[in-house]
PDB file of all heavy atoms in Angstrom:
ATOM      1  N   ALA H 472      81.258  89.900  75.541  1.00 97.00           N
ATOM      2  CA  ALA H 472      82.560  89.403  75.993  1.00 97.00           C
ATOM      3  C   ALA H 472      83.416  89.220  74.751  1.00 97.00           C
ATOM      4  O   ALA H 472      83.011  88.550  73.815  1.00 97.00           O
ATOM      5  CB  ALA H 472      82.391  88.079  76.716  1.00 97.00           C
ATOM      6  N   VAL H 473      84.583  89.842  74.734  1.00 98.00           N
ATOM      7  CA  VAL H 473      85.436  89.782  73.538  1.00 98.00           C
ATOM      8  C   VAL H 473      86.824  89.288  73.911  1.00 98.00           C
ATOM      9  O   VAL H 473      87.442  89.810  74.835  1.00 98.00           O
ATOM     10  CB  VAL H 473      85.570  91.176  72.870  1.00 98.00           C
ATOM     11  CG1 VAL H 473      86.380  91.071  71.585  1.00 98.00           C
ATOM     12  CG2 VAL H 473      84.201  91.763  72.582  1.00 98.00           C
ATOM     13  N   ARG H 474      87.294  88.277  73.177  1.00 97.00           N
ATOM     14  CA  ARG H 474      88.653  87.771  73.372  1.00 97.00           C
ATOM     15  C   ARG H 474      89.457  88.061  72.108  1.00 97.00           C
ATOM     16  O   ARG H 474      88.942  87.925  70.997  1.00 97.00           O
ATOM     17  CB  ARG H 474      88.623  86.254  73.568  1.00 97.00           C
ATOM     18  CG  ARG H 474      88.095  85.801  74.905  1.00 97.00           C
ATOM     19  CD  ARG H 474      89.113  86.010  75.985  1.00 97.00           C
ATOM     20  NE  ARG H 474      88.814  85.236  77.187  1.00 97.00           N
ATOM     21  CZ  ARG H 474      89.482  85.364  78.306  1.00 97.00           C
ATOM     22  NH1 ARG H 474      90.476  86.226  78.405  1.00 97.00           N
ATOM     23  NH2 ARG H 474      89.165  84.625  79.353  1.00 97.00           N
ATOM     24  N   PHE H 475      90.712  88.430  72.283  1.00 98.00           N
ATOM     25  CA  PHE H 475      91.562  88.711  71.129  1.00 98.00           C
ATOM     26  C   PHE H 475      92.969  88.300  71.503  1.00 98.00           C
ATOM     27  O   PHE H 475      93.582  88.876  72.398  1.00 98.00           O
ATOM     28  CB  PHE H 475      91.493  90.208  70.795  1.00 98.00           C
ATOM     29  CG  PHE H 475      92.229  90.615  69.548  1.00 98.00           C
ATOM     30  CD1 PHE H 475      91.954  90.003  68.333  1.00 98.00           C
ATOM     31  CD2 PHE H 475      93.176  91.635  69.585  1.00 98.00           C
ATOM     32  CE1 PHE H 475      92.621  90.401  67.181  1.00 98.00           C
ATOM     33  CE2 PHE H 475      93.842  92.040  68.429  1.00 98.00           C
ATOM     34  CZ  PHE H 475      93.563  91.415  67.223  1.00 98.00           C
ATOM     35  N   PHE H 476      93.477  87.254  70.847  1.00 97.00           N
ATOM     36  CA  PHE H 476      94.814  86.764  71.136  1.00 97.00           C
ATOM     37  C   PHE H 476      95.629  86.791  69.854  1.00 97.00           C
ATOM     38  O   PHE H 476      95.115  86.508  68.780  1.00 97.00           O
ATOM     39  CB  PHE H 476      94.783  85.319  71.642  1.00 97.00           C
ATOM     40  CG  PHE H 476      94.049  85.151  72.939  1.00 97.00           C
ATOM     41  CD1 PHE H 476      92.734  84.728  72.939  1.00 97.00           C
ATOM     42  CD2 PHE H 476      94.667  85.418  74.148  1.00 97.00           C
ATOM     43  CE1 PHE H 476      92.042  84.577  74.130  1.00 97.00           C
ATOM     44  CE2 PHE H 476      93.999  85.261  75.336  1.00 97.00           C
ATOM     45  CZ  PHE H 476      92.679  84.842  75.328  1.00 97.00           C
ATOM     46  N   GLY H 477      96.929  87.103  69.975  1.00 97.00           N
ATOM     47  CA  GLY H 477      97.812  87.108  68.806  1.00 97.00           C
ATOM     48  C   GLY H 477      98.997  86.193  69.059  1.00 97.00           C
ATOM     49  O   GLY H 477      99.547  86.159  70.156  1.00 97.00           O
ATOM     50  N   GLY H 478      99.372  85.438  68.026  1.00 97.00           N
ATOM     51  CA  GLY H 478     100.530  84.549  68.180  1.00 97.00           C
ATOM     52  C   GLY H 478     100.975  84.067  66.815  1.00 97.00           C
ATOM     53  O   GLY H 478     100.410  84.465  65.787  1.00 97.00           O
ATOM     54  N   TRP H 479     101.960  83.189  66.805  1.00 97.00           N
ATOM     55  CA  TRP H 479     102.468  82.708  65.516  1.00 97.00           C
ATOM     56  C   TRP H 479     101.886  81.365  65.130  1.00 97.00           C
ATOM     57  O   TRP H 479     102.066  80.926  63.992  1.00 97.00           O
ATOM     58  CB  TRP H 479     104.002  82.620  65.567  1.00 97.00           C
ATOM     59  CG  TRP H 479     104.608  83.928  65.975  1.00 97.00           C
ATOM     60  CD1 TRP H 479     105.191  84.237  67.164  1.00 97.00           C
ATOM     61  CD2 TRP H 479     104.653  85.140  65.199  1.00 97.00           C
ATOM     62  NE1 TRP H 479     105.600  85.550  67.194  1.00 97.00           N
ATOM     63  CE2 TRP H 479     105.274  86.133  65.982  1.00 97.00           C
ATOM     64  CE3 TRP H 479     104.228  85.483  63.908  1.00 97.00           C
ATOM     65  CZ2 TRP H 479     105.488  87.431  65.546  1.00 97.00           C
ATOM     66  CZ3 TRP H 479     104.430  86.779  63.459  1.00 97.00           C
ATOM     67  CH2 TRP H 479     105.058  87.737  64.281  1.00 97.00           C
ATOM     68  N   ASP H 480     101.224  80.702  66.065  1.00 96.00           N
ATOM     69  CA  ASP H 480     100.875  79.296  65.845  1.00 96.00           C
ATOM     70  C   ASP H 480      99.407  78.959  65.990  1.00 96.00           C
ATOM     71  O   ASP H 480      99.075  77.796  66.170  1.00 96.00           O
ATOM     72  CB  ASP H 480     101.666  78.426  66.839  1.00 96.00           C
ATOM     73  CG  ASP H 480     103.151  78.620  66.649  1.00 96.00           C
ATOM     74  OD1 ASP H 480     103.597  78.520  65.503  1.00 96.00           O
ATOM     75  OD2 ASP H 480     103.839  78.900  67.660  1.00 96.00           O
ATOM     76  N   PHE H 481      98.523  79.936  65.932  1.00 97.00           N
ATOM     77  CA  PHE H 481      97.109  79.560  66.009  1.00 97.00           C
ATOM     78  C   PHE H 481      96.697  78.897  64.705  1.00 97.00           C
ATOM     79  O   PHE H 481      97.105  79.327  63.618  1.00 97.00           O
ATOM     80  CB  PHE H 481      96.232  80.794  66.261  1.00 97.00           C
ATOM     81  CG  PHE H 481      96.367  81.346  67.650  1.00 97.00           C
ATOM     82  CD1 PHE H 481      96.925  82.604  67.862  1.00 97.00           C
ATOM     83  CD2 PHE H 481      95.921  80.619  68.741  1.00 97.00           C
ATOM     84  CE1 PHE H 481      97.051  83.115  69.148  1.00 97.00           C
ATOM     85  CE2 PHE H 481      96.042  81.120  70.022  1.00 97.00           C
ATOM     86  CZ  PHE H 481      96.612  82.365  70.229  1.00 97.00           C
ATOM     87  N   THR H 482      95.904  77.855  64.819  1.00 96.00           N
ATOM     88  CA  THR H 482      95.411  77.172  63.632  1.00 96.00           C
ATOM     89  C   THR H 482      93.891  77.251  63.631  1.00 96.00           C
ATOM     90  O   THR H 482      93.279  77.434  64.681  1.00 96.00           O
ATOM     91  CB  THR H 482      95.813  75.694  63.647  1.00 96.00           C
ATOM     92  OG1 THR H 482      95.140  75.057  64.755  1.00 96.00           O
ATOM     93  CG2 THR H 482      97.317  75.536  63.809  1.00 96.00           C
ATOM     94  N   PRO H 483      93.289  77.048  62.450  1.00 96.00           N
ATOM     95  CA  PRO H 483      91.822  77.113  62.385  1.00 96.00           C
ATOM     96  C   PRO H 483      91.159  76.161  63.377  1.00 96.00           C
ATOM     97  O   PRO H 483      90.091  76.452  63.886  1.00 96.00           O
ATOM     98  CB  PRO H 483      91.504  76.702  60.943  1.00 96.00           C
ATOM     99  CG  PRO H 483      92.710  77.122  60.175  1.00 96.00           C
ATOM    100  CD  PRO H 483      93.880  76.949  61.092  1.00 96.00           C
TER     101      PRO H 483
END
Side-chain angles (χ1 to χ4, degrees):
Chain H
V473 184
R474 287 284 197 187
F475 185 55
F476 297 98
W479 305 108
D480 301 310
F481 289 114
T482 65

